[in-house]
Amino acid sequence: MANVSRILSVVIAGALGALGTYFLLQSQSRGLPDSPSLVLQMREVARLETLDVSLYKKVTFSPEPKASDALWKDVVHWAAYSLRAPRGRAIVFADVHLGYEFQRIDTSSLQVNGTQVEVVLPPLSVQVELRPGETEIIDSNLNSTETAQLLELARTAFEREARGDARLKERARQSAERSLRALFLSLGFTQVNFVEKLTRPTAG
């Protein structure tokens, strides 16, 4: 009787082990989406993932007169600057948005190998929105057109500054990687690597 009981225990344990392995493999095969599905989910999750930074800058506007082809136009142009040399200063505030262009991502941007995935991030995008309600114009004789030029100079300066700021770019990258890693892990992947170039070509 004891032998029969031991045999039954072994048979039951083996059956349970096989059943557990079957369900585990089934769960893994169902839980890992294919590359096109991953691309769609990456776009959706990362679409709202943007690093927002508020900055301000002091800018000045004092352009040099530009020569034209016609002699008399040159005379009029120089006279206008002599009578009223345009000048202006301002303290300009802006919101800078740094994010990755995930709409450009496709299946060539990731490589799936079992439960591991490699991802190449798309280019970084920088957008600047001025906050005119907080902008302060100081010591200015600019007309509306020149004031608009002044603000455009400030917007361009903000954008160049953000693109050249290594710390801001690193913060944006970490934010994007954090969101995508959470997505992949929730889908059943066990390892997510962000790389500059995939280790081998994808099949598309």
Side-chain angles (χ1 to χ4, degrees):
M1 191 69 179
N3 289 335
V4 172
S5 178
R6 284 197 295 270
I7 293 173
L8 286 175
S9 298
V10 171
V11 171
I12 291 172
L16 289 175
L19 191 61
T21 302
Y22 170 79
F23 281 118
L24 178 60
L25 292 176
Q26 288 293 326
S27 175
Q28 288 181 345
S29 63
R30 288 196 306 269
L32 297 179
D34 57 14
S35 294
S37 298
L38 283 174
V39 168
L40 293 177
Q41 294 188 61
M42 289 172 65
R43 290 176 178 174
E44 184 62 26
V45 168
R47 181 172 58 85
L48 302 177
E49 186 58 43
T50 305
L51 177 65
D52 298 321
V53 182
S54 295
L55 302 172
Y56 74 92
K57 180 181 289 290
K58 295 180 180 180
V59 294
T60 60
F61 184 87
S62 182
E64 295 295 330
K66 297 179 181 179
S68 64
D69 294 334
L71 175 61
W72 289 107
K73 288 183 179 180
D74 289 344
V75 173
V76 173
H77 195 63
W78 280 95
Y81 271 79
S82 298
L83 295 174
R84 188 192 69 85
R87 67 180 186 280
R89 291 184 297 147
I91 301 177
V92 185
F93 291 81
D95 293 320
V96 181
H97 312 288
L98 295 93
Y100 286 88
E101 301 176 22
F102 281 97
Q103 289 305 312
R104 296 178 56 178
I105 208 166
D106 56 25
T107 54
S108 67
S109 304
L110 68 157
Q111 175 68 56
V112 176
N113 183 19
T115 60
Q116 300 181 13
V117 59
E118 288 184 350
V119 181
V120 178
L121 291 177
L124 182 67
S125 171
V126 178
Q127 295 182 338
V128 176
E129 294 181 9
L130 298 183
R131 289 150 59 181
E134 300 180 34
T135 296
E136 183 179 356
I137 305 296
I138 307 168
D139 186 27
S140 173
N141 66 350
L142 305 179
N143 59 33
S144 58
T145 300
E146 292 162 344
T147 300
Q149 291 176 332
L150 170 66
L151 295 179
E152 177 60 21
L153 287 174
R155 192 199 64 78
T156 303
F158 278 125
E159 183 175 316
R160 285 201 304 262
E161 187 175 89
R163 289 185 183 279
D165 192 317
R167 290 177 299 178
L168 284 181
K169 291 192 290 186
E170 180 61 24
R171 286 174 56 189
R173 183 180 182 89
Q174 290 177 358
S175 182
E177 289 183 0
R178 190 161 49 245
S179 294
L180 291 177
R181 181 173 283 108
L183 168 65
F184 286 121
L185 294 179
S186 71
L187 294 174
F189 292 92
T190 59
Q191 185 174 337
V192 184
N193 298 320
F194 295 94
V195 297
E196 296 298 324
K197 184 178 180 181
L198 299 178
T199 54
R200 63 186 178 88
T202 63

